[in-house]
Amino acid sequence: MLDLAIIGAGPAGLTAAIYAKRKGLSLAIFDSGSSGGKLNEIVVLENYPGFVSIKGLELAEKLREQLTNLNVEIKEFCKVKEILKEENGFKIVADCGKVSAKSVIIATGTAHRKLNAKGSEQFEGKGISYCATCDGPLHAGKDVAVIGGGNSGAMNALYLSKICNRVYLIEYMPKLKCEEAYLRKLKDANVKIITNAEVFEFFGKEVLEGLRYRDRVSQKQYELKVSGAFVYIGLKPNSELAKKLGCSLDDKGYIEVDQHMSTNMPGVFAAGDVTGIFQQLIVACAQGAIAAESAYRFLTD
Ligand SMILES: Cc1cc2nc3c(=O)[nH]c(=O)nc-3n(C[C@H](O)[C@H](O)[C@H](O)COP(=O)(O)OP(=O)(O)OC[C@H]3O[C@@H](n4cnc5c(N)ncnc54)[C@H](O)[C@@H]3O)c2cc1C
């Protein structure tokens, strides 16, 4: 039986793995996709200490290197389907097999919220995307829309403005919610900002050809011809596994933890965005480190 199973190889899970391995714990770390989590979606980070600016993909690669150096193999494209409580620990049931472990860190992050608009499901992967760094280059030289004017929306609109012909940044509220630093950059970029707008329909034949929105003040309807729509309207926790296991969740579905990243279940810890605490990279990494330290104490005290 392993000492520790880590579910999710985003920044929180990867950091937990670094700390746990350096403490001498035997471990397995799983990810349903490729490791790095949301780092793979971040164009450029400008608020991570030690780097004036670093690409998300580059930081993900550095984290992977660090794990390779510690001889930790990441089980990628291996979704954990269930965590079962056993007499002396837990059984992790994943796509690529089963392992038993005495403790678990759940670092499953969040998923993008989907827009409740006609055609939203139909055009997902056919023009509608949640990752501009992944799919933006497919729309080089074309017109695209970014939906959601928070930090993620603003950052990705700026990224797309460098490769696309025209970028519409559509916000439901009267003002963009992003930080001042993004507002300053947006002023000089090739981005048309549309506020007070409710996107209610995506249209096209085989692939996305455009969207329709309603001005929330005048109630007038407008149509934009776009080949891509990048949706950044918030996140929801990937906490179903934790819930099924018996972990307490808060009213928004985030896993409840104390300052040691302990859940209500002995031997089960949680870290990163899935705890809902200030969803930033530095916090996810810090929580991963604390969770690994707490798992070590749980196993050795
Ligand atoms: C567009 C965007 C821009 C951002 N910009 C910044 C920024 O500039 N600065 C900053 O500090 N933060 C930024 N963030 C936030 C930052 O990316 C997150 O806080 C951080 O990635 C959280 O790490 P995490 O490990 O908790 O979760 P995630 O990064 O979401 O990783 C969770 C991992 O768990 C995996 N997983 C989920 N369910 C399962 C399962 N059942 N089995 C196996 N694996 C599973 C997922 O595949 C994923 O790889 C940004 C986020 C986004 C989306």
Side-chain angles (χ1 to χ4, degrees):
M1 183 179 280
L2 294 170
D3 291 324
L4 173 66
I6 300 173
I7 324 299
L14 291 170
T15 308
I18 294 168
Y19 275 74
K21 185 70 182 185
R22 285 170 57 86
K23 285 274 188 188
L25 302 187
S26 58
L27 65 91
I29 174 165
F30 301 85
D31 202 287
S32 48
S34 53
S35 56
K38 297 271 184 311
L39 277 182
N40 298 318
E41 301 178 25
I42 303 178
V43 183
V44 66
L45 285 136
E46 293 178 344
N47 58 2
Y48 192 66
F51 297 95
V52 174
S53 157
I54 183 165
K55 288 181 181 157
L57 286 171
E58 195 182 334
L59 194 54
E61 189 51 42
K62 283 183 189 293
L63 276 167
R64 272 191 289 273
E65 255 175 62
Q66 211 167 351
L67 287 185
T68 307
N69 207 32
L70 289 165
N71 286 323
V72 176
E73 183 218 343
I74 307 166
K75 294 182 192 299
E76 293 185 310
F77 299 96
C78 178
K79 182 175 179 167
V80 172
K81 292 185 287 196
E82 209 168 4
I83 309 169
L84 301 167
K85 178 82 192 87
E86 289 186 323
E87 204 181 322
N88 298 315
F90 304 89
K91 181 177 277 175
I92 315 300
V93 184
D95 283 344
C96 57
K98 294 176 190 168
V99 299
S100 291
K102 293 177 207 157
S103 63
V104 179
I105 295 176
I106 303 175
T108 42
T110 52
H112 290 282
R113 282 193 188 282
K114 303 193 173 180
L115 202 68
N116 186 14
K118 196 174 165 202
S120 197
E121 264 179 42
Q122 184 188 345
F123 294 107
E124 195 169 318
K126 295 176 182 169
I128 296 180
S129 166
Y130 301 87
C131 178
T133 49
C134 320
D135 299 329
L138 300 173
H139 303 276
K142 298 179 184 168
D143 292 352
V144 297
V146 173
I147 300 161
N151 284 341
S152 295
M155 174 199 278
N156 285 292
L158 286 167
Y159 164 72
L160 290 164
S161 72
K162 293 185 187 130
I163 53 175
C164 296
N165 178 50
R166 183 190 282 248
V167 179
Y168 300 98
L169 177 55
I170 304 175
E171 165 59 42
Y172 183 83
M173 300 304 283
K175 270 188 186 170
L176 298 187
K177 290 168 284 178
C178 60
E179 288 169 5
E180 187 58 38
Y182 289 118
L183 285 176
R184 277 197 301 272
K185 287 184 186 175
L186 281 169
K187 272 192 190 138
D188 304 324
N190 173 29
V191 176
K192 178 161 171 37
I193 296 167
I194 303 170
T195 53
N196 257 328
E198 184 183 12
V199 175
F200 63 89
E201 187 178 359
F202 295 101
F203 64 88
K205 291 185 194 89
E206 296 293 301
V207 295
L208 184 72
E209 290 171 17
L211 62 80
R212 296 190 178 98
Y213 69 91
R214 185 180 296 112
D215 182 303
R216 293 174 58 236
V217 178
S218 68
Q219 294 301 314
K220 268 177 88 173
Q221 296 184 3
Y222 297 88
E223 186 173 296
L224 295 176
K225 294 255 167 28
V226 289
S227 63
F230 296 86
V231 182
Y232 294 99
I233 56 165
L235 302 162
K236 56 177 184 182
N238 290 326
S239 55
E240 302 79 12
L241 283 173
K243 186 180 176 189
K244 223 169 156 194
L245 178 62
C247 294
S248 294
L249 308 183
D250 69 14
D251 55 356
K252 293 192 174 120
Y254 290 97
I255 303 175
E256 287 187 325
V257 286
D258 65 11
Q259 76 266 38
H260 304 292
M261 299 296 121
S262 304
T263 69
N264 59 311
M265 296 196 62
V268 181
F269 307 88
D273 282 6
V274 74
T275 68
I277 302 168
F278 191 36
Q279 293 164 319
Q280 288 284 284
L281 179 59
I282 190 163
V283 179
C285 294
Q287 290 188 343
I290 296 169
E293 174 66 16
S294 299
Y296 177 76
R297 290 192 183 180
F298 170 79
L299 293 164
T300 54
D301 275 357

